[in-house]
Amino acid sequence: MWLVVLAGLLHCASAHDVDLKKVEGLAKARVEVKAFVVQDIPLYHNLVMKHIPGADPELVLLNHYSEELDRIALSDMSRSEINQLLEELGFYKKTAAEDEVPEEFRFSPAKDSPFKDEPPYESSSSSPTTENTSSEPNVEDKHTDL
C-alpha cells in the first residue's frame, strides 16, 4: 500500500516542472527591489513607501489630490532601473536623507504648486515692486459683475 502512495506522490511531483532560472531571477529581482526600498527611498523627496503584505511592488503615481494617475510594476526591474525611472519622472533625489530639499523642488515631480492662490516661487534676491501704493483699489481690481 505504501508503495502505491509513494508512486502517486512521485507522479504528482514530476508533473510540475520547476524552472530554476525563473525562480532564481525572481529571487534576484526581490533582492534588488528590497535594496531600493531600504537604501534609496529615504533619499527621494515626495516618495513614500506603503507596505502591503503579499502584494507585488508597484510605483503608484498620485496627483495633488491623491487621485491615482498610473501604476508601474517594479518586481522585474533592477535597482538602477528603478532609480533611472524616478529620475525620468522628475523625482528629486537628495545626496543624504537628512539634506534639505531646495524650494524649487518642493512639489516635484509636479511642475507647479497645487495651491492656486500661492504666488510662484521667487528667489530671495528679488524684491517685490509695487506700482500702486495708494489705499484705493485699482480700476482692474473692481468687480464688474456686482
Side-chain angles (χ1 to χ4, degrees):
M1 169 126 163
W2 288 106
L3 187 58
V4 173
V5 173
L6 183 61
L9 287 175
L10 288 175
H11 177 42
C12 291
S14 66
H16 297 288
D17 291 331
V18 177
D19 185 2
L20 294 178
K21 289 183 180 181
K22 187 175 182 181
V23 171
E24 186 178 300
L26 287 173
K28 183 179 178 186
R30 293 208 184 269
V31 169
E32 290 275 332
V33 172
K34 185 173 183 177
F36 168 78
V37 167
V38 172
Q39 297 173 7
D40 295 337
I41 284 182
L43 300 176
Y44 282 98
H45 178 63
N46 286 338
L47 185 64
V48 178
M49 201 305 234
K50 181 177 180 183
H51 180 72
I52 301 172
D56 287 334
E58 292 180 312
L59 175 65
V60 180
L61 301 173
L62 306 174
N63 66 9
H64 294 296
Y65 307 105
S66 297
E67 298 166 337
E68 185 176 316
L69 301 174
D70 198 6
R71 282 182 181 259
I72 302 168
L74 302 177
S75 43
D76 294 334
M77 298 175 76
S78 69
R79 180 178 175 188
S80 61
E81 289 172 331
I82 297 170
N83 280 300
Q84 182 179 357
L85 172 67
L86 291 174
E87 181 181 330
E88 290 170 4
L89 290 172
F91 281 89
Y92 178 76
K93 186 175 182 181
K94 302 179 278 187
T95 53
E98 62 275 356
D99 288 351
E100 292 292 321
V101 177
E103 186 66 27
E104 61 266 23
F105 295 109
R106 187 172 67 156
F107 296 111
S108 71
K111 303 298 181 214
D112 58 356
S113 169
F115 309 109
K116 302 294 182 204
D117 297 334
E118 185 174 304
Y121 173 76
E122 293 182 15
S123 65
S124 59
S125 63
S126 65
S127 61
T129 58
T130 57
E131 293 176 5
N132 186 5
T133 56
S134 68
S135 62
E136 293 202 18
N138 197 348
V139 175
E140 292 87 23
D141 293 339
K142 292 184 182 179
H143 294 281
T144 58
D145 58 342
L146 297 178

